[in-house]
Amino acid sequence: MQYDAPADDHERLVTFDIETTHYKPAQGETVAIGVGEHAPGAPGVAATYDVLARDDVESEGELIRRGIERVDAAAADALVSYNGIGFDVEFLAERAERLGVAMEPPALHTAGSHVDLFADRVAVIESRYDSPSLEACLDSYDYPVPSTIWNGEPVTNERFGEELGPALLAATREGDADRLDALRDVLAHYLITDLEANFAIYYADRGVSFAPAYLGHEGVYEA
């Protein structure tokens, strides 16, 4: 779905995305948080991406704290997400509460500063169930859709929650360094392509040119 967004004058963007073992905080946990930064007008290769995961931060509470700090550390004046308002921030907040750790949402999580590409589309369609996926948005703007292939099958949100996320957590608990190295590569490709997709859709909504570095890439992994 294409969306006619108002023009803005943001000088630098930060985007984030989380990966979990279940969409309900009562039934799942946070596995990774991805954060990207980009300046409008710069080529896609100028974007920077960080993947914070439980493989190097075993405590989920510590991962949440570090993820929010990384978003806040960005020299940005706008936060871009895809369903970050309705899912990501709320999921992290409830998980933090369940873990008994303090959490403040990102400083840019405010009206006018947090640009939620999904929420914008929900407002137009008036139904979150009819709103398009991130991949459908890319396709509507003729951006090539990336894919992460793990053990012969594409990684989806559902498969991440049921298979890849638990595998990462199990390898972390067991200290299986070789398996962790292999799974890190899968996670990084899956998260970074989603983060770049956020940038691409944000710019496309505003009619701004953006040359992606990862979109359309197929990462193939055996782990």
Side-chain angles (χ1 to χ4, degrees):
M1 171 190 172
Q2 298 186 6
Y3 172 71
D4 187 14
D8 54 44
D9 57 356
H10 296 307
E11 295 184 358
R12 190 166 183 83
L13 308 176
V14 60
T15 187
F16 84 117
D17 187 30
I18 70 172
E19 299 300 338
T20 69
T21 57
H22 198 281
Y23 68 92
K24 292 182 179 180
Q27 299 180 38
E29 55 188 296
T30 318
V31 177
I33 300 175
V35 181
E37 291 186 61
H38 187 258
V45 293
T48 60
Y49 299 102
D50 289 333
V51 175
L52 306 176
R54 294 275 291 283
D55 58 0
D56 57 5
V57 182
E58 290 191 23
S59 163
E60 183 184 3
E62 180 67 6
L63 172 64
I64 293 171
R65 183 189 67 80
R66 285 181 55 183
I68 298 297
E69 286 184 350
R70 177 62 188 85
V71 173
D72 285 343
D77 56 359
L79 172 62
V80 178
S81 71
Y82 199 86
N83 204 19
I85 293 175
F87 176 70
D88 298 68
V89 174
E90 288 188 1
F91 186 97
L92 295 179
E94 185 168 335
R95 287 302 300 166
E97 183 178 2
R98 287 176 173 273
L99 294 165
V101 299
M103 179 204 133
E104 292 292 332
L108 290 171
H109 180 57
T110 61
S113 294
H114 188 167
V115 181
D116 187 329
L117 304 167
F118 180 83
D120 288 344
R121 285 162 168 79
V122 168
V124 173
I125 297 175
E126 298 182 347
S127 169
R128 72 183 287 116
Y129 300 106
D130 291 332
S131 295
S133 65
L134 193 66
E135 292 77 12
C137 290
L138 289 173
D139 189 61
S140 74
Y141 283 119
D142 293 326
Y143 275 118
V145 177
S147 61
T148 303
I149 307 298
W150 175 50
N151 292 342
E153 298 291 337
V155 177
T156 61
N157 284 339
E158 181 177 1
R159 189 168 182 230
F160 187 99
E162 294 179 354
E163 299 179 45
L164 182 54
L168 277 158
L169 295 179
T172 298
R173 288 192 300 268
E174 295 162 7
D176 189 337
D178 290 339
R179 183 158 173 77
L180 274 175
D181 284 343
L183 293 171
R184 282 189 191 107
D185 291 339
V186 187
L187 170 66
H189 187 272
Y190 186 62
L191 249 180
I192 289 173
T193 52
D194 275 358
L195 293 170
E196 186 177 66
N198 288 348
F199 286 140
I201 295 167
Y202 172 88
Y203 291 127
D205 285 347
R206 288 154 180 78
V208 176
S209 175
F210 177 72
Y214 295 97
L215 297 186
H217 182 263
E218 181 180 82
V220 181
Y221 307 91
E222 296 292 330

